[in-house]
Amino acid sequence: MKITYYGHACLLVETMGKRLLFDPFITPNELAAKVDLDSIQADYILLTHAHSDHLADAESIGQRCGSTIISNYEVAAHYGSKGLAYHPLNHGGKAKFDFGTAKYVNAVHSSSFPDGSYGGNPGGFVIWNEEGTFYHAGDTALTMDMQLIPMTCPALDFAILPIGDNFTMGYEDAVIAADFVKARKVIGMHYDTFGYIKIDHAAAKKAFADSGKELILLSIGESIVL
Ligand code: NI
Ligand code: MN
């Protein structure tokens, strides 16, 4: 699987010949100013919840690429009403797609649209196929529910976890989350974008290393294969 980081919680995962874009928040993100939005192609756009820092560019990319939106029922239906293809999920539910299986799992957070309307309940995704398995946690606190993931999904090859604190768990709790989901490789997200969530990269990496795990902090625009 090839993973490209576009800042904040936005990552593109290329797998099984498909492009899965998570939580596009690029145009409003000053740190992602160098990203060429029009160069991003997405077969699917997966949205963890309705906050603007997770869906700012979803509609424009979705319209340009003809992407299918995968999210909770309320968020998915919102994009359906704008003419986009969509697949609604809700917590604990999984579905098969041409890229593999996607399961919508619990997150402890909130989820309202920028206008204040109801955005369903926030979640994360576990994705698996013949190439591997990974978890994008969305915005969440550390929660005991994470222990259900290794009980109900194939073993993770990596997890994408929020580490910025303030609005989500910080890196100290994310180390425990990695234990709960049994992931030794973690890609950090949801840090540095705003003043509230700026973190000490070296301290975060050390916290993971001290626990026998690897924290990968990608530069915006950087890709890796896992
Ligand atoms: Ni949020
Ligand atoms: Mn957020």
Side-chain angles (χ1 to χ4, degrees):
M1 295 182 178
K2 181 181 176 189
I3 301 111
T4 304
Y5 184 52
Y6 288 120
H8 205 49
C10 182
L11 298 101
L12 179 74
V13 178
E14 296 172 70
T15 182
M16 303 298 286
K18 301 294 172 186
R19 289 158 299 198
L20 281 58
L21 183 68
F22 292 82
D23 285 0
F25 172 74
I26 297 162
T27 309
N29 184 357
E30 289 172 16
L31 301 182
K34 284 185 186 158
V35 175
D36 175 15
L37 195 72
D38 290 335
S39 73
I40 297 174
Q41 301 291 327
D43 299 297
Y44 295 89
I45 301 174
L46 294 92
L47 302 173
T48 60
H49 62 296
H51 287 161
S52 61
D53 61 314
H54 295 261
L55 45 64
D57 295 307
E59 187 174 353
S60 68
I61 296 170
Q63 297 284 8
R64 175 170 54 77
C65 299
S67 322
T68 297
I69 303 286
I70 304 175
S71 190
N72 69 35
Y73 176 79
E74 290 80 5
V75 172
H78 169 82
Y79 286 99
S81 74
K82 294 173 178 292
L84 291 174
Y86 69 101
H87 184 113
L89 292 170
N90 220 324
H91 296 88
K94 64 184 186 303
K96 283 191 175 149
F97 299 88
D98 55 5
F99 60 81
T101 299
K103 181 170 185 174
Y104 193 63
V105 297
N106 290 354
V108 173
H109 191 65
S110 57
S111 177
S112 49
F113 283 102
D115 68 359
S117 61
Y118 179 58
N121 286 307
F125 294 98
V126 182
I127 307 291
W128 66 90
N129 58 36
E130 292 95 276
E131 292 180 356
T133 303
F134 68 96
Y135 167 47
H136 185 302
D139 283 5
T140 185
L142 176 64
T143 165
M144 297 297 280
D145 288 343
M146 290 168 174
Q147 296 186 18
L148 295 170
I149 289 174
M151 296 169 69
T152 60
C153 302
L156 297 184
D157 295 289
F158 62 96
I160 303 165
L161 302 178
I163 57 170
D165 223 326
N166 196 83
F167 299 118
T168 66
M169 61 187 173
Y171 62 79
E172 304 93 334
D173 285 4
V175 170
I176 301 169
D179 282 330
F180 283 2
V181 301
K182 297 189 162 80
R184 298 181 66 82
K185 271 186 199 303
V186 170
I187 299 175
M189 64 160 178
H190 215 275
Y191 65 96
D192 285 358
T193 319
F194 321 112
Y196 290 120
I197 61 173
K198 287 204 192 315
I199 64 160
D200 179 336
H201 292 202
K205 286 186 176 180
K206 184 175 184 304
F208 276 82
D210 286 349
S211 172
K213 292 180 272 290
E214 181 186 6
L215 176 65
I216 301 165
L217 300 181
L218 297 170
S219 303
I220 294 178
E222 184 181 356
S223 299
I224 51 164
V225 175
L226 289 177

